[in-house]
Amino acid sequence: MKMDVLALFPEIIAPALQTGILKRIQDDGGLSVNVYNLRDWTTDKHKTVDDYPYGGGAGMILKPEPIFAAAETLNAESDAQFIFLTPQGIPLTQPMVEALSLETHLILICGRYKGVDERVREKIVTKEISIGDYVLSGGEIAALVILDAIARVLPGALGDFESAHEDSFSKDLLDHPHYTRPADYEGLKVPEVLLSGHHDNIKKWRYVEALKRTAQRRPDLLKELELTDEELAIVNKAK
Ligand code: SAM
């Protein structure tokens, strides 16, 4: 998979690409990431990327020409999805991340200031994504969120691929609690069942805890699930 990022501040993204799963999956050839500076597609000596808004008002707008020029260069094979990061986009979810991870080429466009000239969205953007209902100063961090979330679901990204499927949201439930050694920390004990070595019981305990946790913290997620009477009883007790 190939991911290109078009940004005014690539230096925000670059260090994260050299760390952890993002680095490993690139080294292994599962993902190729390039971060480009929008100024590289300007034609004036000041490398101008923004301009005043028509109609007046505060704030600057990213000019269309450098973005169109970059899009033409980066999408030479014309198979890319152009994603614009914006608080007005569809809120990012784990199913969206998994669907995006199946694409061959994503180009992420990071806005700055008041945003981009609307014609960029009309002409080349194929999907608009928000990472939450708040406003960041630029799209770079949002692009990094998408890069990281996609990288970890790509085949071979995690040593134990199963673990990605047990994370929150992957089964429409939040993750169950986790413990590591010591079994007793100043009187705070790890649940007995986890020490038992009985795999079926451990699996059941984890599922029940995930149900309870979801009922308590994100009951909205349960609305989509068809729960058995036994599961409903657990949920109702946990609320
Ligand atoms: N005027 C824009 C609006 O109200 O929709 C906000 C512009 S914001 C200050 C600058 C840039 O940050 C946006 O163009 C976008 O690329 C990025 N951004 C801000 N919040 C975001 C969010 N929640 N999700 C994704 N991108 C975001």
Side-chain angles (χ1 to χ4, degrees):
M1 178 183 196
K2 184 171 164 189
M3 292 175 76
D4 293 325
V5 186
L6 200 50
L8 215 48
F9 296 100
E11 61 274 23
I12 294 175
I13 301 171
L17 299 177
Q18 295 309 315
T19 316
I21 291 172
L22 265 171
K23 174 167 168 37
R24 203 171 62 230
I25 189 102
Q26 291 175 88
D27 290 348
D28 292 348
L31 176 67
S32 148
V33 185
N34 289 295
V35 188
Y36 297 96
N37 193 324
L38 191 55
R39 290 191 198 280
D40 293 344
W41 281 275
T42 53
T43 48
D44 64 314
K45 82 168 180 205
H46 299 295
K47 296 187 177 291
T48 311
V49 288
D50 56 340
D51 208 338
Y52 294 97
Y54 274 124
M60 301 297 275
I61 314 296
L62 290 182
K63 289 163 65 60
E65 304 95 318
I67 301 179
F68 285 135
E72 210 176 310
T73 317
L74 300 181
N75 196 26
E77 288 156 26
S78 324
D79 64 348
Q81 276 248 32
F82 280 92
I83 296 177
F84 177 51
L85 287 322
T86 166
Q88 301 171 19
I90 305 169
L92 186 68
T93 60
Q94 190 65 23
M96 277 166 70
V97 167
E98 277 157 29
L100 289 170
S101 76
L102 302 176
E103 298 283 343
T104 49
H105 185 190
L106 299 179
I107 299 177
L108 308 182
I109 303 174
C110 305
R112 272 271 152 187
Y113 317 126
K114 292 299 272 186
V116 298
D117 186 289
E118 190 67 17
R119 290 162 292 187
V120 169
R121 299 163 86 167
E122 285 165 11
K123 197 161 182 308
I124 57 169
V125 170
T126 51
K127 200 183 267 304
E128 301 200 357
I129 296 180
S130 163
I131 62 156
D133 286 345
Y134 40 80
V135 180
L136 303 165
S137 51
E140 289 84 354
I141 291 171
L144 197 44
V145 167
I146 292 180
L147 276 164
D148 186 278
I150 289 179
R152 66 187 298 289
V153 296
L154 289 175
L158 299 179
D160 173 6
F161 187 61
E162 274 303 294
S163 62
H165 293 295
E166 286 172 8
D167 283 328
S168 295
F169 307 113
S170 56
K171 297 182 302 286
D172 297 318
L173 293 178
L174 300 183
D175 199 4
H176 56 78
H178 296 274
Y179 296 88
T180 184
R181 287 186 286 184
D184 184 337
Y185 176 73
E186 297 186 356
L188 294 170
K189 294 197 171 122
V190 171
E192 273 304 320
V193 62
L194 298 179
L195 310 176
S196 68
H198 193 302
H199 295 299
D200 286 345
N201 287 353
I202 291 172
K203 199 169 166 192
K204 186 160 183 236
W205 179 88
R206 287 180 168 162
Y207 183 65
V208 168
E209 291 304 312
L211 261 181
K212 281 161 57 179
R213 183 158 279 195
T214 310
Q216 285 158 354
R217 300 180 186 202
R218 291 290 306 274
D220 56 302
L221 296 175
L222 296 174
K223 286 188 196 128
E224 306 298 320
L225 301 180
E226 280 186 27
L227 299 177
T228 63
D229 289 347
E230 193 188 345
E231 289 167 334
L232 272 174
I234 294 166
V235 162
N236 290 331
K237 204 169 156 208
K239 278 182 188 166

